[in-house]
Amino acid sequence: MTQQPAALYVVATPIGNLEDFSPRARRILGEVELIAAEDTRHTGQLLRNAGITTPMLSLHEHNEAERTPALMEKLLAGKSVAIVSDAGTPLISDPGFDLVRAARQAGIRVTPVPGPSALVAALSVSGLPTDRFVFEGFLPARPAARRAALSALASESRTIVCYESVHRLAESLADMATAFGSGRPAVIARELTKLHESVHSGTLAELCDWVNRDAHAGKGEVVVLIGGAAQPTAQLDSGRVLDILLEELPVRQAASLAARLTGGRRNELYKQALEKAGTRPD
């Protein structure tokens, strides 16, 4: 059997429910020479449950710069390495960027082993628009910096997604209500795939009140999603743009381009384009 060249595997692991640990992820973690883990104690428990005995090395935000050269030596010597975070998909507000960039620059194969992601899981059940969104990671911890970051997002028309520490959730929601308006729709997705999973939606004012009243609301891992800013003139502009584009372009292409030009929702514009053109979906 021909030996495969060395590779760096970016492996997603469960965000809660162990049944989400894919067969491929288990196999890869059992076959590589070394696992670079954000927290070896946390990952060690996951590996023991799966019967995996691969050696581990810690790789987190405080040591990534110094650990990357040693991991690159192994990869360049023909050893395959996997990188995992404490939960979910590595590099999504987790360590690993320096190593992935170095590996790609060195011509080493970097392969995703996809799976759970709190970001995608929260979006999928939020009930907010998912065709266009922006991910802000963790908001700044300091109040002044956080308020400045939120203020810069006030006119963002896409769904905004961020992670937040439970210890700052109440004050962050209050800052969001100030920056975006208390009536802006939002969702708090908490403890996804775990025993106490909850997805709570309402206006920012309602969510602020809920978090302050419910002692359990601010516990566990939290994803906050905020509806994008309304674009009151987009509908009229979209109609005019569609009329022009449909004279020269197919329906799907016209709708896609109109969405990019006006900030309108692509799915809604596609429906409008079908009606205007009087055609079936292409």
Side-chain angles (χ1 to χ4, degrees):
M1 183 173 66
T2 304
Q3 184 176 2
Q4 292 293 319
L8 174 63
Y9 294 94
V10 182
V11 182
T13 55
I15 58 176
N17 195 317
L18 294 180
E19 293 181 24
D20 295 332
F21 197 9
S22 75
R24 184 181 176 216
R26 292 169 184 258
R27 177 178 63 80
I28 293 295
L29 292 178
E31 292 177 350
V32 295
E33 297 284 339
L34 181 68
I35 298 172
E38 184 177 5
D39 185 331
T40 55
R41 295 166 300 179
H42 182 91
T43 299
Q45 183 176 352
L46 176 69
L47 298 183
R48 284 191 295 273
N49 289 337
I52 297 171
T53 59
T54 305
M56 289 184 291
L57 179 74
S58 67
L59 183 75
H60 49 72
E61 62 178 329
H62 302 297
N63 71 1
E64 184 173 1
E66 65 183 73
R67 285 282 164 86
T68 293
L71 289 167
M72 285 299 301
E73 284 185 17
K74 290 186 176 296
L75 289 164
L76 291 169
K79 309 292 185 182
S80 287
V81 175
I83 178 172
V84 300
S85 59
D86 286 349
T89 301
L91 279 76
I92 308 301
S93 283
D94 281 324
F97 170 73
D98 289 346
L99 179 58
V100 168
R101 179 173 60 179
R104 290 189 59 80
Q105 289 175 343
I108 293 168
R109 182 165 57 100
V110 181
T111 298
V113 183
S117 166
L119 162 65
V120 175
L123 270 169
S124 70
V125 297
S126 68
L128 293 173
T130 58
D131 54 341
R132 299 171 66 242
F133 65 90
V134 56
F135 178 55
E136 289 294 312
F138 282 95
L139 295 172
R142 295 182 180 276
R146 181 174 60 247
R147 290 164 188 159
L150 291 171
S151 179
L153 292 166
S155 60
E156 174 60 63
S157 62
R158 295 169 292 182
T159 297
I160 301 166
V161 188
C162 63
Y163 295 159
E164 187 52 282
S165 163
V166 293
H167 307 295
R168 294 191 295 268
L169 182 58
E171 58 187 71
S172 289
L173 285 171
D175 289 341
M176 291 173 188
T178 299
F180 304 141
S182 60
R184 183 80 70 91
V187 173
I188 295 175
R190 187 178 66 87
E191 292 289 87
L192 291 174
T193 80
K194 300 177 184 177
L195 180 62
H196 300 292
E197 172 183 290
S198 69
V199 180
H200 202 92
S201 59
T203 65
L204 283 170
E206 290 168 341
L207 292 178
C208 285
D209 181 61
W210 174 63
V211 167
N212 287 321
R213 285 188 296 103
D214 190 329
H216 298 289
K219 293 183 179 180
E221 303 293 329
V222 175
V223 184
V224 181
L225 308 95
I226 306 103
Q231 302 292 313
T233 61
Q235 190 75 13
L236 178 61
D237 291 343
S238 297
R240 292 173 178 172
V241 170
L242 273 177
D243 287 337
I244 297 171
L245 294 177
L246 285 169
E247 294 177 2
E248 304 291 339
L249 299 172
V251 168
R252 189 178 296 276
Q253 188 176 356
S256 178
L257 186 56
R260 291 169 57 190
L261 292 171
T262 66
R265 303 290 183 193
R266 188 185 310 167
N267 291 344
E268 294 176 5
L269 289 170
Y270 182 53
K271 292 178 182 178
Q272 291 180 39
L274 288 173
E275 293 174 358
K276 288 175 178 289
T279 62
R280 294 182 179 181
D282 57 10

